[in-house]
Amino acid sequence: MAKGFQTLKGFRDFYPDECDARNYVFNVWRTVAKRYGFVEYEGPILEPTELYKKKSGDEIVTQLFCFEDKGGRDVSMRPELTPTLARMAAARQRDFKKPLRWFSIGQFFRYEKHQKGRGREFYQFNCDILGEENVGADAELAALSIDIMRELGFTSDDFRLRISDREAWTTFAAKAGVSEEQTGEFLQIIDKMERTKPEDFEKALGQFGLTPADIDGFISSGPEASNTLKSITADLTARGLGEFLEVDLRIVRGLAYYTGAVFEIFDIGKGMRAVAGGGRYDQLLKVIGGVDMPACGFAMGDMVITDLVRESEKPNELLEAGIAESQSIDVFVIIADEEKRAEASKVIQDLRNAGQRTAFSMAPAKVGKQFQNAEQMGAKFAAIIGAEFPEVSLKNLGDRSEITCQADELTGKLEKNR
Amino acid sequence: MAKGFQTLKGFRDFYPDECDARNYVFNVWRTVAKRYGFVEYEGPILEPTELYKKKSGDEIVTQLFCFEDKGGRDVSMRPELTPTLARMAAARQRDFKKPLRWFSIGQFFRYEKHQKGRGREFYQFNCDILGEENVGADAELAALSIDIMRELGFTSDDFRLRISDREAWTTFAAKAGVSEEQTGEFLQIIDKMERTKPEDFEKALGQFGLTPADIDGFISSGPEASNTLKSITADLTARGLGEFLEVDLRIVRGLAYYTGAVFEIFDIGKGMRAVAGGGRYDQLLKVIGGVDMPACGFAMGDMVITDLVRESEKPNELLEAGIAESQSIDVFVIIADEEKRAEASKVIQDLRNAGQRTAFSMAPAKVGKQFQNAEQMGAKFAAIIGAEFPEVSLKNLGDRSEITCQADELTGKLEKNR
């Protein structure tokens, strides 16, 4: 006996409840993306390790599930989608009309410490607009991310889209005399400032001849800090989504490749967590694919958002209803007389041919047991086939009402009762 | 400039057309499985290598994407789902009412020679009934696999479900004096007989004191060879699916763990390929999870079936229609007067709030260009917002008819025209 096989640390089993919760979130992502005119794509889960080094530098390797394959290639289970997207878009850029509105739902892998809301494997929704330099594309993505939250049942009491502008920071740094080579380091300091002791922050700024007061002054300028932020604010306000927006220049986002607006969906009700994030990255397609194409995008992982849904009353109700519907069936056929099993088989096939989700007991069983089974499977109706066949009973398992009809009328009756 | 990043050999990029084709097949799998009352689950893509060795022996490792992770664990990208299913079902067997009707759609990996219909990565539909020893479960799975083919648009001119019984073979072997230890080897010879030269086949049988005529005699006994086959034949015939069934005792299926009925969906119209396969494996849950639970199941990969759909007229028409519908939008909002962009933004948001798949030009563009864009995106309607706002024009891009209405009437008009 070989007991003891266990799921690897940081990896998840999706039993039916968890799988349907996952699918519910996937469906919201997909539905809202399509409502915005986006089309779906997907890349390989395994890529050359070099693709990630190129984007993020050699140190990324410490966080990768990377290995040498049997053909001697350095390969990695993908930690993110953007390099793959850049490769794919660059490779066939002439085949698609710009702008591209592309989204993807897939799984990603990072070898890091396993903790709540952070596994070694996770799903991620990626949503990007390629080939549109106009700030309208940034606003479109911001609106899409807000609508995903709304579709999940969240309101303006629950979250904000916090937006900033990397270019405004670069301009500020340049004016303050920070050299181009040092801008990256400067932005790292800003990115970490909320987690830095005041005296350390002051000291770090000192090397650039800046003070915390200078930074505070810039941050308090709000939307006036850049035309990008003014424009996105006006756009989202025109859409009626202004209440979800908060210009917050403290947002910098760690990744080096952002070049314009950057934003996060931020949970203001519960644990103050970032649920999604993204921004404009106009240079990356050139670096990865050798093609000049402006781009912006964002990503939302499945773990934090699912936790947040679970902790929030209305969103969790919607999720539970979705799971219950997914796991229910329309009708359970009860075979009250084994002599009629062949006839029942035909009825079952007819119901399924008509699209009714139908189950039955595959082995002979007592009628009471079959009713129990029907309830356990969340059946809406039970159709009872017995000695009176082709006359059958149809019982509504919700209100317990019952009618009799001919077997060939069942499908019609069920459709009327949907 | 960093050109030259390529997809790894045997791995696929799914551009929107390919991704929607994939999703179309996934949807058929999922829809039919739910119609049979199955619920969905999923396991991890990475598992301990030991899990596969336990089921298939050490030689499996040569076909695995396996490596040592940063924590020194021997891990493998999964080549199949059954060991995971056995682990999961065994671990929580008390939490679920038997029989379990479980299906899964996921990605798998095998390091093998890359050829048509066989990549190093593929998707697979897995469908299993656990905890039901009655042959009715085998028939249920056979019917489900037939209905997937029918849902894809295939008819009895295109495919057969070829079914056999491993137990009937074991009984035959025992009667013929083949020892229990040699039965595995004997079945391997039968499994390969269609690819073996007659003289080699004769020689191989000789060691068991058998002749090709003995084998032919057994094979020609058909459904009479076992009660299992008689029962499944009667069941599928009662369902009205008899025309798809062919008892064919030549089917043995290589895997060692089958214990009863085994079957394949077989393409009879085109390349004579096996599209799906499975059978009963009553011992495996004990081997993997230490739990006594009868089980049967089958799997269908995405590559062969998608090729077959592509090569078949009606199924390919259905697929193309599915892709076109997935990539179309309901309405493209044309901003004929830039001064009305803010008003247009509000209209767009209202349309999307009502569930209309809506797009527009994110940057100012000539009206002709916007119409072009609408056509390229497969828009069914164009809503034109200009100086006359709130009066707007709604143009049906199919029949070119046009009406004018108030902006707040748009959603209603579009819903009526769906």
Side-chain angles (χ1 to χ4, degrees):
Chain A
M1 210 168 76
K3 278 215 169 187
F5 278 115
Q6 303 222 327
T7 313
L8 290 171
K9 209 184 284 184
F11 286 77
R12 293 172 289 175
D13 287 335
F14 290 85
Y15 284 91
D17 279 357
E18 291 95 39
C19 191
D20 277 325
R22 181 199 74 164
N23 288 355
Y24 170 85
V25 171
F26 285 6
N27 281 339
V28 167
W29 285 343
R30 189 171 277 129
T31 302
V32 176
K34 291 198 168 193
R35 204 181 283 162
Y36 275 71
F38 281 65
V39 293
E40 188 169 351
Y41 72 100
E42 173 63 304
I45 272 186
L46 206 64
E47 290 270 21
T49 303
E50 191 59 29
L51 185 63
Y52 304 109
K53 285 188 187 165
K54 186 79 202 170
K55 184 189 149 200
S56 309
D58 286 353
E59 66 278 15
I60 184 82
V61 172
T62 62
Q63 293 166 38
L64 292 177
F65 279 96
C66 53
F67 60 100
E68 192 176 289
D69 79 3
K70 294 194 161 65
R73 297 170 200 88
D74 245 332
V75 296
S76 289
M77 293 174 77
R78 64 183 181 185
E80 56 157 329
L81 191 59
T82 309
T84 298
L85 169 63
R87 173 178 60 68
M88 287 176 66
R92 285 187 48 191
Q93 53 131 345
R94 282 188 194 82
D95 300 344
F96 298 99
K97 295 289 164 192
K98 270 143 240 129
L100 278 53
R101 296 165 173 264
W102 280 16
F103 78 97
S104 188
I105 296 171
Q107 205 169 11
F108 300 87
F109 307 87
R110 287 187 194 165
Y111 196 90
E112 56 186 352
K113 206 169 141 51
H114 177 219
Q115 51 186 301
K116 186 174 158 68
R118 222 176 165 91
R120 288 185 175 163
E121 132 305 290
F122 54 97
Y123 291 96
Q124 199 177 61
F125 171 68
N126 276 265
C127 195
D128 296 83
I129 296 176
L130 306 181
E132 179 57 73
E133 61 183 4
N134 192 288
V135 67
D138 303 79
E140 180 81 340
L141 287 176
L144 199 165
S145 68
I146 290 170
D147 270 348
I148 284 174
M149 296 301 285
R150 293 171 70 216
E151 186 77 14
L152 287 167
F154 293 107
T155 70
S156 59
D157 292 338
D158 303 310
F159 75 96
R160 284 289 176 282
L161 184 137
R162 305 203 303 183
I163 195 159
S164 175
D165 181 6
R166 268 293 258 278
E167 204 186 4
W169 272 111
T170 321
T171 309
F172 169 82
K175 277 191 195 158
V178 178
S179 72
E180 227 181 297
E181 300 78 54
Q182 286 186 303
T183 303
E185 194 190 333
F186 170 71
L187 290 176
Q188 292 288 338
I189 292 164
I190 301 299
D191 187 38
K192 294 200 188 93
M193 73 180 174
E194 288 182 297
R195 286 159 285 158
T196 309
K197 281 187 207 152
E199 58 270 31
D200 292 344
F201 182 52
E202 192 171 345
K203 201 173 148 196
L205 288 175
Q207 57 178 314
F208 303 106
L210 284 163
T211 66
D214 296 330
I215 303 301
D216 285 350
F218 177 67
I219 286 174
S220 63
S221 60
E224 294 306 314
S226 81
N227 287 330
T228 296
L229 292 174
K230 273 186 270 187
S231 179
I232 294 174
T233 303
D235 189 325
L236 288 188
T237 304
R239 293 175 197 238
L241 301 176
E243 59 175 325
F244 298 101
L245 186 70
E246 187 181 304
V247 170
D248 186 342
L249 290 168
R250 286 171 304 177
I251 309 282
V252 178
R253 295 193 63 75
L255 296 171
Y257 61 85
Y258 287 119
T259 56
V262 286
F263 70 88
E264 288 178 4
I265 292 280
F266 197 76
D267 141 41
I268 56 173
K270 308 281 164 186
M272 308 290 277
R273 287 159 292 189
V275 172
R280 183 166 281 278
Y281 53 97
D282 282 345
Q283 304 305 322
L284 194 66
L285 268 87
K286 195 162 199 171
V287 173
I288 301 274
V291 165
D292 224 336
M293 208 188 309
C296 51
F298 76 95
M300 181 183 288
D302 74 314
M303 297 184 77
V304 173
I305 191 65
T306 303
D307 283 347
L308 197 60
V309 165
R310 285 295 190 192
E311 295 158 17
S312 308
E313 195 177 331
K314 171 84 181 308
N316 191 48
E317 271 173 35
L318 292 171
L319 171 66
E320 287 290 346
I323 294 173
E325 174 53 29
S326 173
Q327 293 185 13
S328 68
I329 57 172
D330 297 306
V331 54
F332 192 99
V333 173
I334 287 174
I335 303 170
D337 180 352
E338 270 304 318
E339 307 240 315
K340 300 295 178 194
R341 182 165 282 268
E343 289 80 357
S345 295
K346 182 66 175 54
V347 169
I348 289 160
Q349 186 66 36
D350 288 345
L351 288 165
R352 287 171 173 169
N353 286 349
Q356 299 284 338
R357 292 173 301 170
T358 308
F360 66 102
S361 177
M362 293 168 284
K366 289 190 177 144
V367 170
K369 181 87 191 302
Q370 292 182 60
F371 266 108
Q372 221 178 37
N373 226 310
E375 303 271 5
Q376 282 157 356
M377 290 187 77
K380 291 166 187 166
F381 289 87
I384 302 120
I385 294 181
E388 309 76 14
F389 185 87
E391 191 180 283
V392 299
S393 300
L394 183 63
K395 186 166 183 171
N396 182 324
L397 296 177
D399 64 16
R400 321 307 285 178
S401 65
E402 193 167 345
I403 57 163
T404 52
C405 66
Q406 295 298 299
D408 58 10
E409 298 170 343
L410 267 180
T411 303
K413 300 277 180 206
L414 284 166
E415 269 164 14
K416 236 173 61 187
N417 274 290
R418 257 194 181 168
Chain B
M1 210 167 78
K3 279 216 170 187
F5 278 115
Q6 303 222 326
T7 313
L8 291 170
K9 210 183 285 185
F11 286 78
R12 293 172 290 175
D13 287 334
F14 290 85
Y15 284 92
D17 279 356
E18 291 95 37
C19 191
D20 277 325
R22 180 199 74 164
N23 288 355
Y24 170 84
V25 172
F26 285 5
N27 282 340
V28 167
W29 286 342
R30 189 170 277 129
T31 302
V32 176
K34 291 199 167 194
R35 203 182 284 163
Y36 275 71
F38 282 65
V39 293
E40 188 169 351
Y41 72 101
E42 173 62 304
I45 272 187
L46 206 66
E47 290 270 22
T49 302
E50 192 60 28
L51 185 62
Y52 304 109
K53 285 188 189 165
K54 187 79 203 170
K55 185 189 148 200
S56 309
D58 286 352
E59 65 279 15
I60 183 82
V61 172
T62 62
Q63 293 166 38
L64 292 177
F65 278 95
C66 55
F67 60 100
E68 192 177 286
D69 80 2
K70 293 195 161 64
R73 298 171 199 87
D74 245 331
V75 296
S76 290
M77 294 174 76
R78 63 183 182 186
E80 56 158 329
L81 191 59
T82 309
T84 298
L85 169 63
R87 173 178 61 69
M88 286 176 66
R92 286 187 48 191
Q93 54 132 343
R94 282 188 194 82
D95 300 345
F96 299 99
K97 295 288 166 195
K98 269 140 243 132
L100 278 52
R101 296 166 173 261
W102 280 16
F103 79 96
S104 187
I105 296 171
Q107 204 169 12
F108 299 87
F109 307 86
R110 285 186 195 167
Y111 195 90
E112 55 187 351
K113 206 168 139 55
H114 176 221
Q115 50 185 304
K116 185 175 158 69
R118 221 175 165 93
R120 288 185 174 162
E121 131 305 290
F122 54 96
Y123 291 96
Q124 200 177 61
F125 172 68
N126 276 265
C127 195
D128 296 83
I129 297 176
L130 305 181
E132 180 57 74
E133 60 184 4
N134 193 289
V135 67
D138 304 79
E140 180 81 340
L141 287 176
L144 199 165
S145 68
I146 290 169
D147 270 348
I148 284 174
M149 296 301 286
R150 293 171 69 215
E151 186 77 14
L152 287 168
F154 294 106
T155 70
S156 59
D157 292 337
D158 302 311
F159 74 97
R160 283 291 175 283
L161 184 137
R162 306 203 303 182
I163 195 159
S164 175
D165 181 5
R166 269 291 260 276
E167 204 186 5
W169 273 111
T170 320
T171 309
F172 169 82
K175 277 191 195 159
V178 177
S179 71
E180 227 182 296
E181 300 79 53
Q182 285 185 303
T183 304
E185 194 190 334
F186 170 70
L187 290 177
Q188 291 288 338
I189 291 163
I190 302 299
D191 187 37
K192 293 200 188 93
M193 73 180 173
E194 289 182 297
R195 286 159 284 158
T196 309
K197 282 186 206 153
E199 58 270 31
D200 292 344
F201 182 53
E202 193 172 344
K203 200 173 148 197
L205 287 175
Q207 59 177 314
F208 303 106
L210 284 163
T211 66
D214 296 330
I215 304 299
D216 284 350
F218 177 67
I219 285 174
S220 63
S221 60
E224 295 306 312
S226 81
N227 287 330
T228 296
L229 292 174
K230 273 186 270 188
S231 179
I232 294 174
T233 302
D235 189 325
L236 288 188
T237 304
R239 293 177 197 236
L241 300 176
E243 60 175 325
F244 299 100
L245 186 70
E246 186 181 304
V247 170
D248 186 341
L249 290 168
R250 287 171 304 177
I251 309 283
V252 179
R253 296 193 62 77
L255 296 170
Y257 61 85
Y258 287 118
T259 56
V262 285
F263 71 86
E264 288 178 3
I265 291 280
F266 197 76
D267 141 41
I268 56 172
K270 309 280 163 184
M272 309 289 278
R273 287 159 292 188
V275 172
R280 183 165 282 278
Y281 53 97
D282 282 344
Q283 304 305 323
L284 193 66
L285 267 86
K286 195 162 199 170
V287 173
I288 300 276
V291 165
D292 224 335
M293 207 187 311
C296 50
F298 77 94
M300 182 184 288
D302 74 313
M303 296 185 78
V304 174
I305 191 66
T306 304
D307 283 348
L308 198 59
V309 165
R310 284 296 191 191
E311 294 157 17
S312 308
E313 196 176 331
K314 170 86 182 306
N316 191 48
E317 270 173 34
L318 293 172
L319 171 67
E320 287 291 346
I323 295 173
E325 174 52 29
S326 174
Q327 293 185 11
S328 69
I329 57 172
D330 298 306
V331 54
F332 192 99
V333 173
I334 286 174
I335 303 170
D337 179 352
E338 270 304 318
E339 307 241 315
K340 300 295 178 194
R341 182 165 281 267
E343 288 81 356
S345 295
K346 182 66 174 52
V347 169
I348 290 160
Q349 186 65 36
D350 288 344
L351 288 165
R352 287 171 172 169
N353 286 349
Q356 298 285 339
R357 293 174 299 170
T358 308
F360 66 102
S361 177
M362 293 169 284
K366 289 189 178 147
V367 170
K369 181 86 190 304
Q370 292 183 60
F371 267 107
Q372 221 177 36
N373 226 310
E375 302 272 6
Q376 283 157 355
M377 291 187 76
K380 291 165 188 167
F381 289 88
I384 302 121
I385 294 181
E388 308 76 16
F389 186 88
E391 191 181 283
V392 300
S393 301
L394 183 64
K395 185 164 184 173
N396 182 323
L397 295 178
D399 65 16
R400 322 306 288 178
S401 65
E402 192 166 345
I403 57 164
T404 52
C405 66
Q406 295 298 298
D408 58 10
E409 297 170 341
L410 267 180
T411 303
K413 300 279 180 204
L414 284 166
E415 269 164 15
K416 236 174 58 188
N417 273 290
R418 258 195 180 167

